[in-house]
mmCIF file of all heavy atoms in Angstrom:
data_model
loop_
_atom_site.group_PDB
_atom_site.id
_atom_site.type_symbol
_atom_site.label_atom_id
_atom_site.label_comp_id
_atom_site.label_asym_id
_atom_site.label_seq_id
_atom_site.Cartn_x
_atom_site.Cartn_y
_atom_site.Cartn_z
ATOM 1 N N GLU A 6 99.180 83.016 113.555
ATOM 2 C CA GLU A 6 99.406 84.072 114.584
ATOM 3 C C GLU A 6 99.073 83.528 115.935
ATOM 4 O O GLU A 6 98.186 82.654 116.102
ATOM 5 C CB GLU A 6 98.493 85.265 114.340
ATOM 6 C CG GLU A 6 98.764 85.998 113.044
ATOM 7 C CD GLU A 6 97.930 87.266 112.929
ATOM 8 O OE1 GLU A 6 97.682 87.893 113.928
ATOM 9 O OE2 GLU A 6 97.482 87.549 111.810
ATOM 10 N N GLY A 8 99.291 84.874 120.462
ATOM 11 C CA GLY A 8 99.707 85.881 121.445
ATOM 12 C C GLY A 8 98.723 86.919 121.841
ATOM 13 O O GLY A 8 98.954 87.706 122.767
ATOM 14 N N GLY A 9 97.564 86.980 121.169
ATOM 15 C CA GLY A 9 96.608 87.952 121.544
ATOM 16 C C GLY A 9 95.942 87.561 122.857
ATOM 17 O O GLY A 9 96.159 86.499 123.431
ATOM 18 N N GLY A 10 95.096 88.490 123.382
ATOM 19 C CA GLY A 10 94.380 88.223 124.618
ATOM 20 C C GLY A 10 93.890 89.495 125.268
ATOM 21 O O GLY A 10 93.889 90.527 124.678
ATOM 22 N N LEU A 11 93.484 89.307 126.500
ATOM 23 C CA LEU A 11 92.942 90.412 127.283
ATOM 24 C C LEU A 11 94.005 90.839 128.277
ATOM 25 O O LEU A 11 94.571 90.029 129.024
ATOM 26 C CB LEU A 11 91.678 89.918 128.075
ATOM 27 C CG LEU A 11 91.105 90.895 129.065
ATOM 28 C CD1 LEU A 11 90.601 92.216 128.367
ATOM 29 C CD2 LEU A 11 89.961 90.262 129.835
ATOM 30 N N LEU A 18 101.921 92.534 125.887
ATOM 31 C CA LEU A 18 101.639 91.336 125.125
ATOM 32 C C LEU A 18 102.680 91.197 124.019
ATOM 33 O O LEU A 18 103.203 92.226 123.555
ATOM 34 C CB LEU A 18 100.221 91.342 124.512
ATOM 35 C CG LEU A 18 99.009 91.154 125.362
ATOM 36 C CD1 LEU A 18 97.756 91.358 124.519
ATOM 37 C CD2 LEU A 18 98.989 89.745 125.959
ATOM 38 N N LEU A 20 102.980 89.390 120.275
ATOM 39 C CA LEU A 20 102.335 88.669 119.216
ATOM 40 C C LEU A 20 103.389 87.932 118.378
ATOM 41 O O LEU A 20 104.492 88.486 118.162
ATOM 42 C CB LEU A 20 101.549 89.628 118.272
ATOM 43 C CG LEU A 20 100.534 90.468 118.989
ATOM 44 C CD1 LEU A 20 99.762 91.276 117.925
ATOM 45 C CD2 LEU A 20 99.563 89.651 119.824
ATOM 46 N N GLN A 39 92.921 96.362 113.239
ATOM 47 C CA GLN A 39 91.626 96.902 112.890
ATOM 48 C C GLN A 39 90.789 96.964 114.119
ATOM 49 O O GLN A 39 90.426 95.948 114.707
ATOM 50 C CB GLN A 39 90.927 96.049 111.851
ATOM 51 C CG GLN A 39 89.661 96.671 111.283
ATOM 52 C CD GLN A 39 89.159 96.064 110.026
ATOM 53 O OE1 GLN A 39 89.597 94.930 109.640
ATOM 54 N NE2 GLN A 39 88.303 96.726 109.320
ATOM 55 N N THR A 90 93.184 98.413 121.361
ATOM 56 C CA THR A 90 92.285 97.258 121.178
ATOM 57 C C THR A 90 91.922 97.072 119.727
ATOM 58 O O THR A 90 91.636 98.035 118.986
ATOM 59 C CB THR A 90 91.013 97.462 121.998
ATOM 60 O OG1 THR A 90 91.296 97.405 123.409
ATOM 61 C CG2 THR A 90 89.926 96.415 121.705
ATOM 62 N N GLY A 91 91.946 95.797 119.298
ATOM 63 C CA GLY A 91 91.595 95.500 117.880
ATOM 64 C C GLY A 91 92.073 94.094 117.497
ATOM 65 O O GLY A 91 92.698 93.388 118.331
ATOM 66 N N VAL A 92 91.767 93.743 116.279
ATOM 67 C CA VAL A 92 92.300 92.562 115.733
ATOM 68 C C VAL A 92 93.615 92.861 114.994
ATOM 69 O O VAL A 92 93.627 93.727 114.130
ATOM 70 C CB VAL A 92 91.317 91.874 114.742
ATOM 71 C CG1 VAL A 92 91.925 90.613 114.192
ATOM 72 C CG2 VAL A 92 90.012 91.613 115.489
ATOM 73 N N TYR A 93 94.683 92.142 115.351
ATOM 74 C CA TYR A 93 96.021 92.398 114.762
ATOM 75 C C TYR A 93 96.280 91.306 113.728
ATOM 76 O O TYR A 93 96.106 90.080 113.974
ATOM 77 C CB TYR A 93 97.010 92.371 115.886
ATOM 78 C CG TYR A 93 97.028 93.642 116.685
ATOM 79 C CD1 TYR A 93 95.939 93.905 117.556
ATOM 80 C CD2 TYR A 93 98.109 94.524 116.599
ATOM 81 C CE1 TYR A 93 95.975 95.074 118.287
ATOM 82 C CE2 TYR A 93 98.072 95.699 117.376
ATOM 83 C CZ TYR A 93 97.045 95.970 118.173
ATOM 84 O OH TYR A 93 97.042 97.146 118.933
ATOM 85 N N GLY A 113 94.527 86.742 111.984
ATOM 86 C CA GLY A 113 94.111 87.762 112.970
ATOM 87 C C GLY A 113 94.107 87.245 114.368
ATOM 88 O O GLY A 113 93.706 86.095 114.611
ATOM 89 N N THR A 114 94.544 88.060 115.286
ATOM 90 C CA THR A 114 94.469 87.743 116.724
ATOM 91 C C THR A 114 93.904 88.932 117.455
ATOM 92 O O THR A 114 94.345 90.058 117.197
ATOM 93 C CB THR A 114 95.835 87.263 117.215
ATOM 94 O OG1 THR A 114 95.691 86.788 118.619
ATOM 95 C CG2 THR A 114 96.868 88.385 117.191
ATOM 96 N N LEU A 115 92.984 88.672 118.362
ATOM 97 C CA LEU A 115 92.308 89.784 119.010
ATOM 98 C C LEU A 115 93.089 90.196 120.277
ATOM 99 O O LEU A 115 93.495 89.428 121.101
ATOM 100 C CB LEU A 115 90.909 89.324 119.482
ATOM 101 C CG LEU A 115 90.064 90.320 120.296
ATOM 102 C CD1 LEU A 115 89.784 91.593 119.419
ATOM 103 C CD2 LEU A 115 88.765 89.709 120.756
ATOM 104 N N VAL A 116 93.324 91.555 120.350
ATOM 105 C CA VAL A 116 93.931 92.132 121.529
ATOM 106 C C VAL A 116 92.916 93.093 122.129
ATOM 107 O O VAL A 116 92.353 93.952 121.465
ATOM 108 C CB VAL A 116 95.159 92.969 121.061
ATOM 109 C CG1 VAL A 116 95.716 93.755 122.236
ATOM 110 C CG2 VAL A 116 96.257 91.995 120.542
ATOM 111 N N THR A 117 92.609 92.874 123.393
ATOM 112 C CA THR A 117 91.691 93.671 124.121
ATOM 113 C C THR A 117 92.325 94.289 125.336
ATOM 114 O O THR A 117 92.914 93.549 126.211
ATOM 115 C CB THR A 117 90.456 92.849 124.599
ATOM 116 O OG1 THR A 117 89.891 92.225 123.460
ATOM 117 C CG2 THR A 117 89.443 93.767 125.248
#
Side-chain angles (χ1 to χ4, degrees):
E6 296 185 36
L11 173 64
L18 285 173
L20 306 183
Q39 187 165 17
T90 294
V92 179
Y93 284 69
T114 186
L115 178 62
V116 171
T117 304

